[in-house]
């Protein structure tokens, strides 16, 4: 590893940035399509061809890639590797960067990458109809099958997410897991119907009041359970900004484990109460014509009307109990 700024020395870091940060966010299909538009020796424009939307997205992704590559290669540029092992060269009239300056540089690089990727994802979602490859990609279709399937919905049920696309990506596995547990509680067949109705809701064609109420309750439970399960393991700060990683030394911005566990416990109580409310709502509402799939399943238990207990009338003349 040499200290030359030759592009060849940065290729490995760019490939790491692609693999670890960009592919999980937008998928390989769209990235490969955009790559064909980028010229090897094209310095004046961000792309050789493509629409205005494609050029804008490429520009944002380039910003993100450069920052993430800077982060990936920073320590390798500071520390040289050779036959003598790991060394740090300090040429005359140059001073080695302090560990705190190194940490600050790494934090700044990862923040630039995160912000650029966030903007790229926002732009992509806003202009999804301009990117057919994205809408048919595996990454997009996997999200479409979720009950809480985008950052907007996550923020609706969990406002602290603040519309963060990266927060949504970090919680995607948790949202999928929470959704599966809803299926266990309500029945797999009914979950399939819930997801179908959710798709209609996303398309703006669902008007049934009972279904709308149920979907909102289910979305809230799924969002809160996902956060409760994942927040102890997330690098988040007091403002719920999600860090891709810590700075490698000490990150005082990240919430301490004790606070994250408190949040998880509080949200855990909330989602359990929410699930109980859902079951109670279904038990009282389900019939042959309303939530029929649930009504005909083993999950439904017909409500038994409990007759009122017969009580003796209060009478001041009675000074003893009657058995």
């Amino acid at each position: 590893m040499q200290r030359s700024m030759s592009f060849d020395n940065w290729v490995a870091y760019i490939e790491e940035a692609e693999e670890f940060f960009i592919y999980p966010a937008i998928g390989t299909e769209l990235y490969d399509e955009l790559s064909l538009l980028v010229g090897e020796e094209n310095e004046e424009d961000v792309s050789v061809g493509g629409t205005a939307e494609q050029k804008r997205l490429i520009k944002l992704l380039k910003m993100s890639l450069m920052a993430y590559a800077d982060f990936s290669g920073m320590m390798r540029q500071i520390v040289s590797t050779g036959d003598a092992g790991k060394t740090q060269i300090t040429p005359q009239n140059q001073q080695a960067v302090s560990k705190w300056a190194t940490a600050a540089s790494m934090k700044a690089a990862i923040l630039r990458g995160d912000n650029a990727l966030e903007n790229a994802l926002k732009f992509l979602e806003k202009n999804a109809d301009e990117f057919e490859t994205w809408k048919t990609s595996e990454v997009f279709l996997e999200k479409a099958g979720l009950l809480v399937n985008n950052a907007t919905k996550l923020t609706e049920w969990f406002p602290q997410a603040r519309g963060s696309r990266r927060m949504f990506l970090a919680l995607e596995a948790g949202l999928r897991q929470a959704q599966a547990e809803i299926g266990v509680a309500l029945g797999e067949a009914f979950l399939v119907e819930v997801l179908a109705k959710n798709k209609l809701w996303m398309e703006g064609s669902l008007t049934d009041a009972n279904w709308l109420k149920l979907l909102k309750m289910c979305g809230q439970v799924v969002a809160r359970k996902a956060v409760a399960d994942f927040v102890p393991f997330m690098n988040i700060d007091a403002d719920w900004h999600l860090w891709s990683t810590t700075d490698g030394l000490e990150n005082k911005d990240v919430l301490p484990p004790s606070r994250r566990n408190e949040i998880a416990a509080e949200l855990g109580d909330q989602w359990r109460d929410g699930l109980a409310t859902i079951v109670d709502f279904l038990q009282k509402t389900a019939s042959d014509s309303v939530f029929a799939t649930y009504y005909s399943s083993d999950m439904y238990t017909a409500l038994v009307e409990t007759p009122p207990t017969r009580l003796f009338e209060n009478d001041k003349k009675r000074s003893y109990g009657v058995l």
Side-chain angles (χ1 to χ4, degrees):
M1 298 297 301
Q2 303 298 322
R3 290 166 178 258
S4 168
M5 286 300 293
S6 168
F7 177 75
D8 291 340
N9 285 342
W10 285 93
V11 170
Y13 309 134
I14 294 172
E15 290 176 346
E16 283 185 14
E18 291 174 335
E19 192 70 34
F20 300 146
F21 297 101
I22 308 300
Y23 291 163
I26 69 171
T28 57
E29 298 93 335
L30 177 60
Y31 190 84
D32 290 343
E33 178 183 270
L34 296 175
S35 296
L36 297 176
L37 302 174
V38 179
E40 295 181 0
E41 303 297 335
N42 185 23
E43 298 180 356
E44 296 182 359
D45 195 2
V46 295
S47 64
V48 173
T51 64
E53 289 79 10
Q54 288 174 323
K55 292 182 179 182
R56 173 64 178 165
L57 183 58
I58 288 172
K59 181 178 181 179
L60 290 170
L61 290 176
K62 277 189 171 184
M63 290 180 181
S64 183
L65 269 173
M66 286 187 288
Y68 285 137
D70 185 28
F71 170 80
S72 297
M74 192 169 299
M75 292 305 298
R76 299 289 293 173
Q77 292 295 321
I78 294 173
V79 178
S80 297
T81 302
D83 294 338
K86 301 287 185 180
T87 59
Q88 182 176 4
I89 302 173
T90 53
Q92 187 176 5
N93 298 326
Q94 293 186 7
Q95 183 177 350
V97 180
S98 70
K99 66 177 183 178
W100 303 117
T102 301
S105 297
M106 294 179 72
K107 187 182 295 185
I110 204 71
L111 183 59
R112 292 198 312 272
D114 290 349
N115 289 340
L117 183 58
E118 178 73 20
N119 288 340
L121 289 170
K122 287 180 180 179
F123 180 81
L124 183 56
E125 289 184 14
K126 183 179 179 180
N127 299 276
D129 290 339
E130 302 295 328
F131 299 93
E132 287 300 323
T133 302
W134 160 249
K135 293 180 68 176
T136 58
S137 68
E138 184 178 351
V139 169
F140 183 91
L141 294 176
E142 284 181 352
K143 292 179 177 60
L146 290 174
L147 191 60
V148 180
N149 51 28
N150 56 50
T152 302
K153 280 297 174 187
L154 175 62
T155 303
E156 184 175 343
W157 312 133
F158 184 69
Q160 290 85 347
R162 300 184 180 181
S164 171
R165 273 65 180 172
R166 292 187 56 259
M167 177 75 76
F168 172 77
L169 290 175
L171 288 173
E172 185 177 344
L175 293 168
R176 199 176 304 280
Q177 177 180 317
Q179 179 175 297
E181 295 195 26
I182 291 291
V184 173
L186 305 183
E188 296 297 333
F190 188 57
L191 177 61
V192 171
E193 186 175 7
V194 168
L195 293 175
K197 294 293 185 181
N198 190 61
K199 185 174 184 296
L200 294 177
W201 186 24
M202 293 295 98
E203 296 170 353
S205 56
L206 182 66
T207 57
D208 185 278
N210 284 321
W211 271 108
L212 289 172
K213 183 176 180 179
L214 178 65
L215 290 174
K216 290 176 182 178
M217 289 192 294
C218 288
Q220 189 175 66
V221 167
V222 167
R224 288 178 175 175
K225 183 173 188 346
V227 177
D229 289 344
F230 273 58
V231 70
F233 310 99
M234 295 171 64
N235 291 326
I236 54 174
D237 59 24
D239 293 325
W240 278 89
H241 174 268
L242 178 68
W243 295 88
S244 293
T245 182
T246 58
D247 57 29
L249 296 174
E250 181 182 9
N251 198 333
K252 297 180 180 178
D253 296 324
V254 173
L255 285 180
S258 59
R259 179 57 184 143
R260 281 178 280 170
N261 289 333
E262 288 175 359
I263 295 172
E266 182 178 346
L267 290 174
D269 291 339
Q270 290 179 11
W271 82 257
R272 280 185 286 271
D273 291 343
L275 182 58
T277 301
I278 291 172
V279 173
D280 183 62
F281 172 70
L282 288 171
Q283 292 289 86
K284 292 179 179 179
T285 311
S287 67
D288 287 329
S289 57
V290 180
F291 305 130
T293 301
Y294 181 82
Y295 184 72
S296 61
S297 72
D298 295 336
M299 298 297 174
Y300 176 78
T301 303
L303 294 176
V304 178
E305 293 295 336
T306 304
T309 303
R310 183 175 179 274
L311 299 174
F312 292 103
E313 296 180 2
N314 290 327
D315 190 339
K316 63 182 180 180
K317 295 179 181 179
R318 281 197 183 96
S319 59
Y320 54 88
V322 179
L323 300 177

